[in-house]
């Protein structure tokens, strides 16, 4: 609580400075506000009644400005949910971003709380892992809302025409957050079958690494443009955003211990346009991934290298239409038979988007399908721009497949969402 109060005091202090008469006189301030309300409904387990899962209102204020050649942005959000069913807090105030931009000796700096987006894939994340996520709505929430911002220092260094190197130091450690127990999108975490019935079971919460410069995360990104290709090479030395779950057995006593582990990520992207087609590629090599096993001698955990890549193709040759397909593949390079997960996983996605009435009406459907587990998610949606500042939205989230699947675990959790977005 004390830490949160200090953070609030810091941000309110920055806000007071920005809006002081001296700064307002010397600078250029602009404010963009949005009110977003979403109501989601689903059928209960008996399929005889409709339950309201979420009735959430979000007030978002983006404050931009510049003074003395220093730019800044503050993204303040207030959230309140009438139902209080998907989050551990019914209401909260977030300073999602609060950073300054400046230039010194042709190096562009961004300092403060921010979100950093890497990669070229849609729907699922490969390179886009710098910021942890809030999974209170699984992967249904827009990444813009679910990313958890981090205090970071970023330096963008021009190398040559069309090339640059970005260096990012992240001293603040935060990790993935999940839906609270008993809610719509609580994830299943089955423990491996034990050879003997446990006389006692103790589950210990994960102890987060200490916030220190020694535990800081480091990210590097080299970007260039060559022969029509946008190319990046990426490096990220970080703590994995999910703890590794170790199981220790002492006689009949079982203890579950969770530890955050370091990982080295190497990846890249390559994108190019060929007429009406855009080819998008992305790959990631994770040096240290941990997977559940059936081996008690290894505390039911094994480490493996993991290769992930995606190939995406976008087609816009039909008027007012976008067709986008992607193939995701994940492969364990040092696979051992006692690992409970499959050595290879393949997922396909298809996005169809059509604009009508001078782009005031948008029909959209996104489908994600796992080839290995035969489960998936279909998300049809319609958006209507009532006026320049008001947009209505109606969508559905339809899960299918076996319960053990990534998507299939929510096969009985289909929902319909009605939203309104008002800008001012």
């Amino acid at each position: 609580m004390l830490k949160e109060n200090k953070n609030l005091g810091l941000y309110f202090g920055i806000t007071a400075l920005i809006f002081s008469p001296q700064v307002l006189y010397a600078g250029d301030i602009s404010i963009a506000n949005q009110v977003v309300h979403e109501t989601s409904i689903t059928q209960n387990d008996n399929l005889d009644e409709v339950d309201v899962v979420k009735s959430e209102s979000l007030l978002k204020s983006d404050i931009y400005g510049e003074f003395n050649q220093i730019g800044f942005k503050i993204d303040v959000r207030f959230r309140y949910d009438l139902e209080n069913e998907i989050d551990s807090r019914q209401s909260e105030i977030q300073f999602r971003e609060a950073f300054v931009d400046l230039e010194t000796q042709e190096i562009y700096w961004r300092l403060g709380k921010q979100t950093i987006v890497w990669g070229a894939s849609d729907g699922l994340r490969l390179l886009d892992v710098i910021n942890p996520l809030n999974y209170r709505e699984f992967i249904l929430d827009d990444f813009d809302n679910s990313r958890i911002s981090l205090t970071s220092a970023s330096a963008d260094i021009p190398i040559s025409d069309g090339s640059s190197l970005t260096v990012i130091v992240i001293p603040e450690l935060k990790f993935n957050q999940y839906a609270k127990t008993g809610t719509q999108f609580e994830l299943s975490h089955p423990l491996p079958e034990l050879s003997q019935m446990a006389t006692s079971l103790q589950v210990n919460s994960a102890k987060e690494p200490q916030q220190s410069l020694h535990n800081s995360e480091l990210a590097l990104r080299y970007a260039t443009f060559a022969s029509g290709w946008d190319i990046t090479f990426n490096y990220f030395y970080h703590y994995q955003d999910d703890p590794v779950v170790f199981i220790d057995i002492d006689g009949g006593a079982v203890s579950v211990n969770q530890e955050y582990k370091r990982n080295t990520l190497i990846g890249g992207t390559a994108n190019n346009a060929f007429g009406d087609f855009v080819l998008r590629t992305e790959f990631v090599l994770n040096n240290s991934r941990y997977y559940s096993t059936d081996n008690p001698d290894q505390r039911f955990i094994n480490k493996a290298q993991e290769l992930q890549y995606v190939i995406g193709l976008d087609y816009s040759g039909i008027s007012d239409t976008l067709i986008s397909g992607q193939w995701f593949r994940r492969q364990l390079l040092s696979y051992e038979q006692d690992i409970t997960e499959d050595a290879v996983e393949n997922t396909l996605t298809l996005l169809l988007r059509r604009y009508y009435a001078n782009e005031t009406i948008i029909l959209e459907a996104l489908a994600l399908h796992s080839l290995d587990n035969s489960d998936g998610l279909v998300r049809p949606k319609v958006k209507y721009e009532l006026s320049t500042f008001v947009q209505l939205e109606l969508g559905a989230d339809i899960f299918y497949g076996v319960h053990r699947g990534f998507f299939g675990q929510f096969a009985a959790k289909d929902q319909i969402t009605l939203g309104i977005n008002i800008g001012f």
Side-chain angles (χ1 to χ4, degrees):
M1 180 63 71
L2 179 61
K3 181 179 178 181
E4 292 182 359
N5 290 337
K6 286 183 177 179
N7 288 336
L8 286 175
L10 174 63
Y11 287 122
F12 280 123
I14 294 174
T15 305
L17 174 64
I18 289 173
F19 287 101
S20 64
Q22 295 88 346
V23 173
L24 288 174
Y25 179 77
D28 181 16
I29 307 291
S30 62
I31 303 176
N33 299 304
Q34 281 183 304
V35 174
V36 181
H37 179 84
E38 289 185 340
T39 296
S40 299
I41 61 174
T42 187
Q43 288 185 308
N44 63 12
D45 294 337
N46 297 325
L47 304 180
D48 57 358
E49 293 183 3
V50 172
D51 290 335
V52 179
V53 177
K54 177 178 72 170
S55 183
E56 184 176 86
S57 297
L58 177 69
L59 171 61
K60 175 182 176 182
S61 293
D62 287 329
I63 306 166
Y64 305 87
E66 182 178 349
F67 59 93
N68 295 332
Q69 297 184 331
I70 298 178
F72 66 86
K73 177 186 177 183
I74 298 178
D75 180 348
V76 187
R77 303 185 182 190
F78 173 72
R79 179 187 63 81
Y80 183 80
D81 188 352
L82 287 172
E83 297 300 318
N84 194 26
E85 289 291 333
I86 63 171
D87 204 290
S88 58
R89 290 168 289 188
Q90 186 172 24
S91 64
E92 64 179 329
I93 297 176
Q94 293 181 334
F95 285 84
R96 181 170 175 77
E97 292 188 312
F99 59 77
V100 296
D101 290 327
L102 62 151
E103 179 183 356
T104 59
Q105 299 180 344
E106 297 186 349
I107 298 177
Y108 300 91
W109 296 86
R110 175 164 291 179
L111 309 174
K113 188 172 288 290
Q114 54 187 294
T115 58
I116 299 166
V117 181
W118 280 358
S121 59
D122 297 323
L124 299 173
R125 304 196 311 167
L126 270 70
L127 273 174
D128 184 17
V129 293
I130 291 184
N131 294 91
L133 289 185
N134 188 331
Y135 286 99
R136 66 192 187 117
E137 294 185 83
F138 187 46
I139 62 170
L140 303 183
D141 203 1
D142 290 337
F143 286 147
D144 176 62
N145 294 323
S146 60
R147 289 189 187 95
I148 299 172
S149 57
L150 299 170
T151 300
S152 312
S154 172
D156 191 19
I157 307 168
I159 303 298
S160 61
D161 290 341
S163 300
S164 64
L165 174 66
T166 303
V167 180
I168 306 166
V169 178
I170 307 170
E172 182 180 31
L173 298 179
K174 292 185 178 180
F175 302 94
N176 287 338
Q177 299 176 10
Y178 290 93
K180 62 183 181 180
T181 303
T183 56
Q184 177 86 339
F185 295 110
E186 176 189 1
L187 292 179
S188 58
H189 296 285
L191 296 176
E193 295 183 5
L194 304 177
S195 58
Q196 298 177 352
M197 182 65 67
T199 58
S200 66
L201 175 64
Q202 180 178 350
V203 180
N204 299 312
S205 59
K207 183 179 180 181
E208 297 183 0
Q210 183 180 3
Q211 304 282 343
S212 66
L213 288 178
H214 175 75
N215 286 332
S216 295
E217 300 178 332
L218 173 66
L220 305 174
R221 177 180 180 268
Y222 175 76
T224 189
F225 181 80
S227 302
W229 289 89
D230 286 306
I231 300 172
T232 71
F233 297 98
N234 306 70
Y235 170 90
F236 190 27
Y237 180 62
H238 66 115
Y239 280 96
Q240 298 183 53
D241 289 325
D242 291 315
V244 180
V245 180
F246 294 95
I247 299 177
D248 298 298
I249 302 177
D250 184 7
V254 176
S255 61
V256 178
N257 301 290
Q258 305 178 62
E259 303 174 17
Y260 287 100
K261 295 292 187 178
R262 285 279 197 178
N263 176 55
T264 299
L265 176 153
I266 299 173
T269 62
N271 309 318
N272 201 347
F274 303 91
D276 294 327
F277 293 90
V278 175
L279 176 65
R280 297 178 288 110
T281 65
E282 182 176 341
F283 83 93
V284 163
L285 176 63
N286 289 300
N287 187 58
S288 301
R289 284 296 198 193
Y290 295 82
Y291 296 91
S292 298
T293 74
D294 296 321
N295 189 348
D297 295 333
Q298 295 180 323
R299 305 175 69 191
F300 295 94
I301 288 294
N302 203 342
K303 185 169 75 170
Q305 288 186 325
E306 178 190 69
L307 175 65
Q308 300 180 74
Y309 57 86
V310 58
I311 300 174
L313 189 64
D314 304 335
Y315 177 67
S316 56
I318 303 174
S319 178
D320 297 320
T321 302
L322 172 66
I323 303 173
S324 177
Q326 298 176 123
W327 171 39
F328 290 84
R329 183 179 175 89
R330 181 192 66 83
Q331 182 173 351
L332 302 186
L333 300 183
S334 49
Y335 184 77
E336 296 187 11
Q337 294 301 320
D338 60 0
I339 294 179
T340 58
E341 297 189 36
D342 295 333
V344 177
E345 290 184 0
N346 295 276
T347 302
L348 301 179
T349 75
L350 178 63
L351 172 65
L352 305 176
R353 183 179 295 142
R354 176 78 174 175
Y355 299 91
Y356 296 92
N358 199 25
E359 298 190 1
T360 59
I361 299 175
I362 304 174
L363 297 182
E364 179 181 297
L366 172 65
L368 302 93
H369 177 76
S370 170
L371 294 178
D372 304 283
N373 295 321
S374 298
D375 66 332
L377 169 64
V378 180
R379 308 190 69 190
K381 184 181 299 183
V382 57
K383 300 178 182 178
Y384 175 55
E385 189 174 293
L386 189 62
S387 69
T388 304
F389 302 104
V390 180
Q391 185 181 72
L392 304 177
E393 184 174 312
L394 176 64
D397 303 302
I398 305 167
F399 296 90
Y400 62 89
V402 296
H403 181 71
R404 66 179 178 84
F406 180 67
F407 305 104
Q409 63 182 307
F410 302 116
K413 304 293 185 180
D414 298 345
Q415 65 178 26
I416 296 174
T417 300
L418 176 65
I420 181 171
N421 187 323
I422 303 173
F424 59 96

